[in-house]
């Protein structure tokens, strides 16, 4: 039957998502498919999670991410409880994360957790009796950002493969770009163009990941202008002053990695500019009105992917939605 | 046709309200009419905004105002996301208000913004793709407070014209009273009695506004007791110690501007006492039980006017509501 | 008629609950009965409070309690507004609790208040025009914790009488245990076993309460191990270091009052372990998987009792629920 799940597939319902490795390729494609369906059927899906409650447990503030998780649940008809950083003191009183999670598991149908310590989301997922979604822990790894990135490629190009993807700026410390590269390698057929100063090059383990993928390749360059004309996607990141040994280096390099209309005029008309936000000055405001600017679409796609993910792990079916056929996953 | 909108009218749907000048006289009367309808049809209107989401973006805390905006949306069937001051740090990270607003525009159907900087609400309204309502920016200008004041006059007197309106206390720094005077002048036929110490008189630009309105007049007095018997409305404000050059002046004047039962006994039986709240000691608690005390009604009216405004700018019709006829606006 | 209320009964609707003395024995049993009904009919009751709004006014942070009150209202179909400690400054601006409560009474159908000052909840209940539930004030008295404790006994044993109840740890400062003892004495037929170091014995007024109840009795002991085999219920509390005069005493005594699998092996198979949470180390994590561990059930029961209480004071009937017959109260 067309909706049969391959033996390798674990079911979505009840599943915690700490890293994207917790999701199979099929599941990621299913989420992309669902996000597109949700966007086209906002009203139809607006009661999918009626009676459900999501907890947003943010042990450090991250308002943008919190509002996206919360809106996603509200737009599905569900409700939200939680806390946001400032009230942290009262949560702990020496209590372990596991105990807090066991308590909150009595209240809600799913938990989104943000925590400054690496591994906190994994600990939470083991203590919980409901699915836990990692909203960022330690080094700001958070799988739903990468899902937002993938959904933006999907909506702009109709695919997440067969693309030339430039990543520009701080490629050393930006976990966002590492996670995106690793995930694109799982699907294959991507040419990466790694654009950074020597001080902020891509770490070896990420390079190794590309090298281990026969259908993928990469080049490393210092100069955005020289390669922008070849790109389907330009993923911008922030270059933070404190990454540099001295201010002269920073000032010298900074402008090279700022995207403005002049540099953008060299790009192909179909290129998409992504950025995980917030931006400071690495994309000039004048670029916002260019049809290639996709970073506010990315925000919308983040919400749609969280809607897809939350409804999936809770186990609520989107009305009228027809699942991907397994053969489509092969495509 | 009776519901035809005059050519001068801009439509409500999608409209941002940064100041009351963004609303025509017709629109203000329509809001008053809607608020009265909502109060009489609480259950009927409780699903008007089903599926809608409001963002309350409070860059400085103002719990009273925030709870009013939020309750208004909840009572209409909608939902709320947002932040409140304490979590500010995480919102910014150097991000511009415009970027935050563009992000949040992807999540919600309307935004209420409170910000310490004058002009922030205007910047927000220009960046947003959804309507923005100013919940106070710089000097605590916020149009919905004035709408609450007007609704209280309307519900007490059935009109917002043909009234003798006393304003008492700090008339120099109280933006609330300036906004009320200016708005009443748009409708005309009000006699203002401006009651304040010399140190806290009404600014010239507000006096000019009254003088430019043929149907309005004013007198300035120092003494509340001498005029209270002539008033239909007494609008009290706080006299803050720090406005005075020395403590002796403050102590000497303070009592003159405290409303108690003794002073109230000199007023007409139909007079209404308003106050924007919070009060400190400028109205004695003993006055609360007097039928002339209207300041907690004003709180209710604030919520009703926010319900009227939120549903109007989002474009959701109140079930069963019949719009004002244009000719009624002339009256 | 079977649902007739005895003449001594005050009605639930509109009732504030500042202490458990505000509830009759009949009303407490009714709440226990309702909580069990709610647990078995989650879906049926999920629209009981449609259109209602609860305010959670937390003048000090207590995230666990706040989330329980909020979830309770959301699971009944209602909505929530409020603030949580951090935003306190903006609420007050010198405003009295009474004025804040009078303001919020215009917005909501019920208020849950948490305040550091003893008596604040009583002041609030007098100012409010809607029912107020005390969520803890001064010394952390809060009646809904005791209701959660009772519901846990009820669900484990089918009764709250005819039990041997051990209370262990800090019996001097733990208001939770005092409130539980006093409430159990109202229903009678309980044998209390008071287990504590000499430094942390039960206060005389609580002992007097037991002595004044002919059907109840107590013993005081220092050693948990010697009595654990006799208990139906073991209520653990935290032993805080700062309660002791010197660290040596603390270290010497601490282990005596830590519950681990070794000590638990001496208990009866049907014994229930309760704890108000958060725990620090007074119950070893290894105990969590023991079927006698009831402290996370207690969390669930707390939410269920708050659902029962909130719907009762607001006056919304649980669909399909049949009230207790008066004669059952006698039983």
């Amino acid at each position: 039957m067309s909706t049969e799940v391959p033996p390798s597939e674990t079911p979505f319902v009840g599943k915690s998502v700490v890293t994207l490795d917790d999701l199979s390729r099929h599941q990621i494609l299913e989420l992309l498919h669902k996000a597109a369906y949700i966007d086209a059927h906002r009203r139809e899906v607006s009661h999918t999670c009626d009676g459900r409650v999501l907890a947003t447990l943010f042990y450090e503030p991250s308002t943008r991410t919190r509002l996206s998780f919360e809106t996603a649940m509200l737009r599905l008809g569900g409700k939200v409880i939680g806390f946001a950083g400032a009230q942290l003191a009262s949560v702990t009183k020496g209590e372990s994360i596991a105990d807090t999670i066991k308590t909150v598991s009595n209240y809600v149908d799913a938990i989104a957790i943000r925590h400054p310590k690496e591994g906190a989301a994994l600990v939470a997922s083991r203590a919980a009796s409901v699915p836990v979604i990692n909203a960022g822990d330690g080094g700001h790894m958070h799988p739903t950002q990468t899902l937002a990135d993938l959904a933006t490629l999907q909506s702009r190009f109709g695919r997440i493969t067969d693309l030339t993807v430039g990543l520009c700026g701080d490629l050393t410390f930006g976990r966002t770009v590492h996670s995106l590269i690793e995930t694109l390698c799982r699907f294959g057929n991507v040419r990466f163009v790694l654009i950074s100063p020597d001080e902020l090059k891509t770490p070896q383990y990420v390079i190794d990941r590309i090298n281990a993928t026969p259908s993928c390749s990469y080049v490393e360059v210092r100069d955005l202008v020289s390669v922008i004309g070849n790109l389907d996607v330009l993923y911008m990141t922030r270059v933070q002053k404190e990454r540099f040994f001295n201010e002269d280096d920073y000032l010298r390099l900074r402008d090279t990695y700022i995207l403005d209309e002049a540099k953008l005029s060299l790009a192909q008309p179909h290129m998409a500019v992504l950025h995980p936000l917030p931006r400071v000055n690495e994309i000039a405001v004048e670029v916002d009105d260019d049809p290639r600017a996709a970073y506010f679409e990315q925000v919308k796609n983040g919400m749609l992917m969280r809607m897809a993910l939350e409804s999936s792990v809770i186990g609520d079916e989107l009305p009228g939605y027809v699942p991907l056929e397994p053969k489509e996953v092969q495509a």
Side-chain angles (χ1 to χ4, degrees), chain A residues 168-175 177-178 195-197 199-202 236-240 243 257:
Chain A
C168 176
D170 175 357
L171 305 187
T172 301
F173 299 98
R175 289 285 290 269
V177 299
H178 305 165
I195 310 152
S196 77
E199 290 89 339
L200 295 172
K201 289 175 75 174
T202 313
M236 297 294 296
T237 66
R238 219 180 330 162
V239 178
Q240 292 176 281
R243 301 301 190 200
Y257 302 101

Side-chain angles (χ1 to χ4, degrees), chain A residues 13-322:
Chain A
V13 186
K15 192 175 191 56
S16 285
V17 179
V18 176
T19 78
L20 279 185
D21 291 337
D22 291 323
L23 297 177
S24 67
R25 296 199 316 153
H26 178 87
Q27 286 176 321
I28 290 171
L29 294 175
E30 189 78 63
L31 291 174
L32 291 170
H33 195 227
K34 283 188 176 183
Y37 179 83
I38 290 167
D39 197 26
H41 300 82
R42 297 280 185 117
R43 185 172 293 273
E44 288 86 342
V45 303
S46 68
H47 292 285
T48 304
C49 293
D50 268 6
R52 302 296 193 175
V53 183
L54 171 77
T56 50
L57 308 185
F58 276 53
Y59 287 82
E60 66 177 1
S62 175
T63 305
R64 313 169 52 89
T65 304
R66 180 174 62 79
L67 295 185
S68 182
F69 271 98
E70 294 184 0
T71 308
M73 180 49 56
L74 297 179
R75 291 274 182 212
L76 289 165
K79 296 175 176 187
V80 176
I81 61 166
F83 55 83
Q87 297 128 30
L88 173 62
S90 79
V91 183
T92 55
K93 281 186 191 165
E95 186 179 63
S96 68
I97 291 178
D99 273 17
T100 301
I101 295 292
K102 283 180 187 175
T103 295
V104 174
S105 288
N106 280 290
Y107 299 152
V108 298
D109 300 287
I111 294 170
I113 185 173
R114 173 98 174 192
H115 200 284
K117 276 200 199 151
E118 202 149 349
L122 184 62
V123 168
S125 71
R126 287 176 178 162
S129 58
V130 297
V132 170
I133 302 173
N134 187 359
D137 67 339
H140 302 294
M141 169 83 153
H142 61 121
T144 55
Q145 176 64 54
T146 301
L147 292 176
D149 300 343
L150 296 177
T152 307
L153 302 189
Q154 179 72 30
S155 79
R156 282 270 169 154
F157 301 100
R159 63 186 196 275
I160 59 173
T161 57
D162 296 305
L163 293 168
T164 300
V165 177
L167 300 119
C168 176
D170 175 357
L171 305 187
T172 301
F173 299 98
R175 289 285 290 269
T176 305
V177 299
H178 305 165
S179 176
L180 179 59
I181 292 171
E182 292 188 63
T183 308
L184 287 174
C185 283
R186 292 176 66 185
F187 292 92
N189 286 305
V190 170
R191 296 163 297 283
F192 295 102
V193 181
L194 308 171
I195 310 152
S196 77
D198 290 343
E199 290 89 339
L200 295 172
K201 289 175 75 174
T202 313
Q204 191 57 41
Y205 82 91
V206 178
I207 298 293
D208 290 346
R209 184 69 181 85
I210 303 176
N211 282 331
T213 311
S215 68
C216 290
S217 63
Y218 75 96
V219 292
E220 290 187 292
V221 301
R222 276 198 209 86
D223 187 20
L224 171 58
V225 168
S226 66
V227 294
I228 195 169
N230 308 323
L231 305 177
D232 298 313
V233 175
L234 173 58
Y235 198 102
M236 297 294 296
T237 66
R238 219 180 330 162
V239 178
Q240 292 176 281
K241 203 172 178 175
E242 55 271 30
R243 301 301 190 200
F244 289 86
F245 292 114
N246 62 68
E247 185 149 351
D248 285 347
D249 283 354
Y250 171 71
L251 292 175
R252 182 174 45 81
L253 290 164
R254 196 188 50 180
D255 284 355
T256 321
Y257 302 101
I258 291 180
L259 182 67
D260 53 21
E261 272 296 326
K263 293 199 189 76
L264 194 56
S265 68
L266 306 169
Q268 300 183 76
H270 73 267
M271 191 184 78
V273 181
L274 277 70
H275 188 297
L277 301 184
R279 74 170 150 186
V280 179
N281 61 0
E282 56 278 4
I283 302 179
V285 172
E286 65 195 22
V287 172
D288 293 7
D289 293 329
D290 192 292
R292 287 168 287 197
Y295 31 94
F296 288 113
E297 269 173 60
Q298 223 173 330
V299 170
K300 186 187 76 171
N301 290 320
M303 180 189 72
L304 295 171
M305 287 302 272
R306 289 179 183 105
M307 291 176 78
L309 184 58
E310 291 171 2
S311 58
S312 296
V313 299
I314 288 175
D316 288 329
E317 308 268 335
L318 301 164
Y321 174 75
V322 179

Side-chain angles (χ1 to χ4, degrees), chain A residues 6 25-26 29 325-331:
Chain A
R25 296 199 316 153
H26 178 87
L29 294 175
E325 294 193 29
K327 66 179 176 186
E328 295 180 67
V329 184
Q330 308 304 325

